[in-house]
Amino acid sequence: MKNWHPDLSRSTNPRYMAIADLIEIDLRSGVLAAGDRLPPQRELAKRLNIDFTTVARGYVEAQKRGLVDSHVGRGTFVAGGTGRERRGFSLDMAADPRRAAAVDFSMNLPPDLTDPDLVARMHEGMSAVAANLTSLLRYQDFGGSEMDKEAAATWLGRRGVAPPQERIFVTPGAHPTLLAISGMLAKPGEVVLCEDITYAGMRSIAAQLRLNLAGLAMDENGILPEAFEEACKGLRPKALYLNPTLQNPLTLTIPEKRRAEIVAVARRHRVPIIEDDAYGFIPLQGPLPFAAIAPDLTWHIGGLAKCIGAGLRLAYVVVPDTKSVWPFVSAMRTGNVMASPLNMALATRWIEDGTADGILRFIRAEAAARQDMVASIFPPGSYRSDPLSFNIWLPLTKGWTRSTFGSHMRNSGIGVVASDAFTITGSAPEAVRVCLGGPIGRDRLKVALDFMAHALEGPPEMAASFF
C-alpha cells in the first residue's frame, strides 16, 4: 500500500492526528491491511503538500495507538488489527472491584460512561499520555504548560470566554479554587453574597474561612437584582458567588437579560463576581457566561468535573485582570502547589483528539434520557428540573420530612441530600436534591424512581420500608 493517499479533510483533528485517525479508519474499512507498508514520510509529506514533521508526528501518533510498527531502514508497516484490538482492550480489564465500588452519593454525579467505543478512546488517550509518564511525575510550574493552556483556551472559547493566555490557569479542581479566591477577596467576618439556596460546597468554604455568607432572594430566573442592590447598600459585600447555569441544587439557569441586570448592579457597587460554571458546557446553547459579559468583574471557574470527569480534579480558571494574577497564583500554590501534570496531560489529550466532545455528548444524551424517565414517573409540577440536569429538586408533601425521606431512600442506589446542605437563610424547606447520575444504570434507576414515587403518594407510615 505504498500509494496510500489519505484525505485529511475526513478528520477535524490537527493534521498529524488526522493521519493517525485515517490509518485506523482505513484499517477498519479494509483499505489498509495488516503488513501493508505505508509511504515513506517525506514522500507522503510531498504528496499531501504538508510539512515532513507533520507526517512524522502522525506516524508516531499511530504507533502510540498500536496501529503501526516502524523499523529503522525498512519503513513503517500497518500492524495487525486496530490499536484497541492489539492491546486486547475490554471494559472488563479496567474493572477492579475495589475501586469500582468507591462512589460518593452525596455529590451531584454525571451519569457513568458506558459506551464501549468511547471508553476505549479514553483508554487510548491514557496510553498515549503514558508515553511521557516520567516527565509528568515531576513538579511543574503552577497553572499548566503552554499546551495545557492552549487546550483550556480552546475549551473556554466554545463558551465565548476568550481572555489572553496569561490570565488562564489550570487548577486542581473548582473547590480549592473557590477556597483560594474567596480567601483573597474577603477576610473573616466580611460578607460574600450568594443565592438563598446555593451550592453546598460554598457553605463549607465560607464556614472554613469564617466569612459571612448572605443569601439573596430568588425567583425562577435566579437572584433578584433588587435584592442584590439592597444587599450591596446595606452589607457592603466583598463578592457575589453564583452557580448560574443548571444551578446545583435548583437546576435553574439565569437567562442573559437577568445576567445583564446583575452585572449592572455589580458594576455600580464594584462587587466582583465569582462564577462557578461547573455545568456551563452541558446545555447545547446556554447563555453567555458572566466572564464573557463582564470579564473585568468576573472570576470564572470552568470545572471539568461535570462535563468530563470528577476524577480529573481539574478546572480552567480565568482571572479578571493582570493585577490579580500573582495574588491568585500565590494563594493557589500555598494550598495546592499545582494541578496534577498527569491529569492535565490527559485532559489536554482528550480535548485535542475529540474524546472530550464525545464524553460531553454522551453525558448530555444520558442526562436527557434520565430526565425523560423522571417525567414519565412523577406528576408535572411535583418537582423542579431541567431537561439536561443531573438532578431534580423535590419538595416533600403529605407529612414527609427531609430526614424521613432520606432514610427511606438510603439503600436505593441514588443520592438523596436534604435541603439543609444548601439553605443559607432561615429554616430549610422540606425538600431534597435527588441525583440521577453516577454508577446506577437506567433499569435500576427506574426501579428506584418508581419506589420513590410510590412512597410519595401517601404519608411516611404507609410507605414500604424495604427496597
Side-chain angles (χ1 to χ4, degrees):
M1 184 52 65
K2 200 172 178 180
N3 294 323
W4 183 64
H5 193 297
D7 179 6
L8 300 186
S9 66
R10 292 162 63 196
S11 173
T12 59
N13 284 329
R15 286 178 174 179
Y16 79 95
M17 295 186 68
I19 290 172
D21 293 342
L22 293 169
I23 291 173
E24 182 163 5
I25 290 170
D26 286 349
L27 179 55
R28 286 180 178 280
S29 66
V31 173
L32 291 173
D36 282 349
R37 182 181 179 184
L38 294 178
Q41 295 173 12
R42 293 191 184 280
E43 181 180 322
L44 185 59
K46 184 177 180 180
R47 191 179 301 173
L48 299 177
N49 195 29
I50 59 177
D51 291 338
F52 163 76
T53 54
T54 300
V55 176
R57 289 182 69 192
Y59 278 23
V60 169
E61 173 64 23
Q63 190 166 11
K64 288 179 182 177
R65 299 186 193 181
L67 299 170
V68 301
D69 293 316
S70 294
H71 304 275
V72 177
R74 293 177 52 209
T76 300
F77 297 84
V78 177
T82 65
R84 75 185 62 163
E85 289 165 350
R86 295 185 73 229
R87 287 190 292 275
F89 175 82
S90 73
L91 292 178
D92 293 337
M93 285 178 60
D96 184 330
R98 295 171 298 175
R99 295 197 182 278
V103 58
D104 183 355
F105 283 106
S106 70
M107 305 300 285
N108 200 25
L109 305 164
D112 270 10
L113 301 167
T114 56
D115 179 80
D117 288 337
L118 179 57
V119 175
R121 287 182 64 186
M122 294 164 68
H123 276 256
E124 290 169 357
M126 293 189 74
S127 297
V129 165
N132 297 310
L133 187 58
T134 300
S135 63
L136 294 173
L137 295 177
R138 301 173 187 146
Y139 284 107
Q140 297 185 8
D141 289 338
F142 176 81
S145 68
E146 184 177 348
M147 67 184 298
D148 295 321
K149 289 193 173 191
E150 287 176 357
T154 297
W155 192 249
L156 292 168
R158 299 178 187 182
R159 293 275 288 126
V161 180
Q165 196 174 100
E166 60 266 23
R167 291 200 282 116
I168 299 175
F169 296 90
V170 189
T171 69
H175 200 91
T177 306
L178 282 170
L179 182 67
I181 293 172
S182 299
M184 287 174 57
L185 298 180
K187 298 175 183 177
E190 293 182 328
V191 173
V192 172
L193 302 176
C194 66
E195 306 104 328
D196 198 28
I197 295 178
T198 195
Y199 168 52
M202 191 59 192
R203 290 187 66 210
S204 300
I205 287 168
Q208 182 171 337
L209 296 175
R210 292 182 291 137
L211 305 179
N212 183 2
L213 197 61
L216 298 174
M218 307 169 69
D219 63 11
E220 67 278 5
N221 290 325
I223 64 168
L224 298 172
E226 54 269 29
F228 182 24
E229 179 82 41
E230 183 178 350
C232 288
K233 292 176 180 177
L235 299 177
R236 303 182 67 180
K238 296 299 180 180
L240 168 66
Y241 166 82
L242 292 173
N243 178 204
T245 300
L246 297 181
Q247 190 248 23
N248 177 12
L250 297 179
T251 75
L252 64 84
T253 294
I254 302 176
E256 283 196 31
K257 182 176 183 296
R258 177 66 59 85
R259 294 185 187 216
E261 293 168 346
I262 292 169
V263 165
V265 177
R267 208 175 277 291
R268 196 155 48 244
H269 295 277
R270 300 182 181 179
V271 177
I273 297 171
I274 305 173
E275 180 176 32
D276 183 1
D277 202 36
Y279 303 88
F281 277 92
I282 304 302
L284 284 168
Q285 293 181 320
L288 280 174
F290 280 91
I293 299 169
D296 57 316
L297 286 177
T298 306
W299 294 80
H300 180 84
I301 306 170
L304 301 187
K306 311 302 182 182
C307 58
I308 297 182
L312 286 173
R313 305 312 307 140
L314 292 176
Y316 295 152
V317 179
V318 180
V319 302
D321 49 51
T322 53
K323 71 179 182 181
S324 301
V325 167
W326 287 114
F328 174 70
V329 170
S330 177
M332 288 299 304
R333 283 182 63 94
T334 299
N336 301 276
V337 181
M338 63 180 184
S340 164
L342 186 59
N343 291 355
M344 285 192 287
L346 185 57
T348 295
R349 169 76 187 200
W350 284 347
I351 289 171
E352 288 182 343
D353 70 10
T355 301
D357 288 315
I359 294 171
L360 191 53
R361 284 193 296 271
F362 177 91
I363 289 173
R364 285 190 189 119
E366 188 63 24
R370 293 177 182 222
Q371 287 290 346
D372 287 344
M373 186 184 298
V374 172
S376 71
I377 295 171
F378 288 85
S382 64
Y383 63 96
R384 182 169 191 160
S385 71
D386 180 276
L388 289 174
S389 60
F390 303 161
N391 69 284
I392 62 171
W393 181 252
L394 184 64
L396 301 174
T397 59
K398 300 183 180 178
W400 283 97
T401 66
R402 52 200 188 274
S403 60
T404 56
F405 188 76
S407 296
H408 185 72
M409 296 300 299
R410 183 172 295 133
N411 298 318
S412 64
I414 56 178
V416 176
V417 180
S419 59
D420 306 69
F422 312 101
T423 304
I424 303 299
T425 306
S427 300
E430 293 298 350
V432 294
R433 185 194 71 186
V434 180
C435 178
L436 308 175
I440 188 170
R442 288 192 203 176
D443 290 343
R444 178 70 173 172
L445 177 62
K446 185 178 187 308
V447 171
L449 292 174
D450 283 334
F451 177 74
M452 182 184 297
H454 175 74
L456 292 173
E457 290 175 359
E461 56 269 19
M462 298 297 294
S465 59
F466 59 88
F467 187 83

